[in-house]
Amino acid sequence: MFLLDKEARGARVCERKYVAPADARAGAIAVLALHCAPDPEHPCGIVESIYFDDGWFSSYWEKIDGDVYKRKVRLRWYAPLVGPPVRSGEIAAFLDVKDRIGAAREKRHVPFRADAALLNAAPLRSAELQALLERTAQAAGLPIATTLVPTVAIRYRRQRYTCPCTGARISLDHEIRSPRANPELFPGRAPLESGRIVCEVKAGVVQEGPWAEGLLRLGFRMQSFSKYGLFMEMHVQGSI
């Protein structure tokens, strides 16, 4: 079921992604520091996510096959910049449901609290994670398929900037890795490294700032990119 209402259908955010090999990180940080300002609220953080899919990997194949309708479901939280992940007590987390039909899209970002040990350490075969998703979605009034199971976990460091020339919000994601996967879906697979760095630009209109040329000189290329899609490809097809 697609969730877009009339107001959401009218809201448009243009998004561009620039992708390069991981060794371009230092240069990218220098370029963005020269032309942009650090985000005043959240300049840097570690992003943790658990993505859910069904046994047929429908969400993955919707992306690969270019289906008109696409849905992505994940649990997201933020880890400390220094020290190990929190292993006890409750932490703030979010349920993200991203729906898309053609050019129309909607993202629901639902805050909730969850057990830190469950999110950070539970094997992805855990029925508790599946129950947490269903319970949180039900409380928010979001329709979620009961066939969804935890599939892969993704972790990366994100640095956020704003472009004073265009007003764009820019995120630089690096150290992108998948530390866990559901062993019932992908038995015997070790943690995976992406080998990528991603610069994600969001704005009301498509407009490149002065940082764009610097990124392209470093080897960044504008392309469609999905962290979930990349790690699923590595698991399913054994490629990068």
Side-chain angles (χ1 to χ4, degrees), residues 77-159:
W77 66 101
Y78 300 93
L81 283 171
V82 180
V86 178
R87 299 286 187 180
S88 62
E90 288 192 341
I91 58 174
F94 301 89
L95 164 62
D96 289 341
V97 180
K98 301 173 72 173
D99 282 311
R100 184 163 185 164
I101 294 182
R105 59 186 174 182
E106 178 191 54
K107 175 181 174 181
R108 297 293 179 97
H109 189 62
V110 180
F112 67 102
R113 297 191 67 82
D115 179 66
L118 177 63
L119 292 178
N120 283 307
L124 294 196
R125 67 162 67 90
S126 170
E128 293 181 64
L129 283 169
Q130 186 174 3
L132 175 63
L133 171 70
E134 294 176 359
R135 187 167 62 248
T136 305
Q138 184 177 20
L142 299 180
I144 296 292
T146 58
T147 54
L148 295 180
V149 297
T151 305
V152 296
I154 298 176
R155 173 187 174 94
Y156 54 90
R157 185 178 292 264
R158 167 166 284 184
Q159 294 178 232

Side-chain angles (χ1 to χ4, degrees), residues 8-97:
R9 286 193 177 99
R12 293 280 182 123
V13 175
C14 297
E15 179 180 279
R16 285 185 172 181
K17 293 181 180 180
Y18 298 79
V19 184
D23 58 10
R25 179 182 66 177
I29 291 173
V31 167
L32 293 174
L34 177 64
H35 296 291
C36 302
D39 182 272
E41 294 186 11
H42 304 289
C44 186
I46 295 177
V47 182
E48 302 264 16
S49 301
I50 295 174
Y51 286 79
F52 290 74
D53 212 332
D54 58 28
W56 301 274
F57 303 146
S58 297
S59 181
Y60 168 68
W61 289 112
E62 287 167 1
K63 172 70 174 176
I64 295 301
D65 295 340
D67 290 359
V68 172
Y69 173 78
K70 302 179 182 69
R71 164 167 280 196
K72 189 180 293 182
V73 177
R74 70 188 177 209
L75 300 181
R76 171 159 289 183
W77 66 101
Y78 300 93
L81 283 171
V82 180
V86 178
R87 299 286 187 180
S88 62
E90 288 192 341
I91 58 174
F94 301 89
L95 164 62
D96 289 341
V97 180

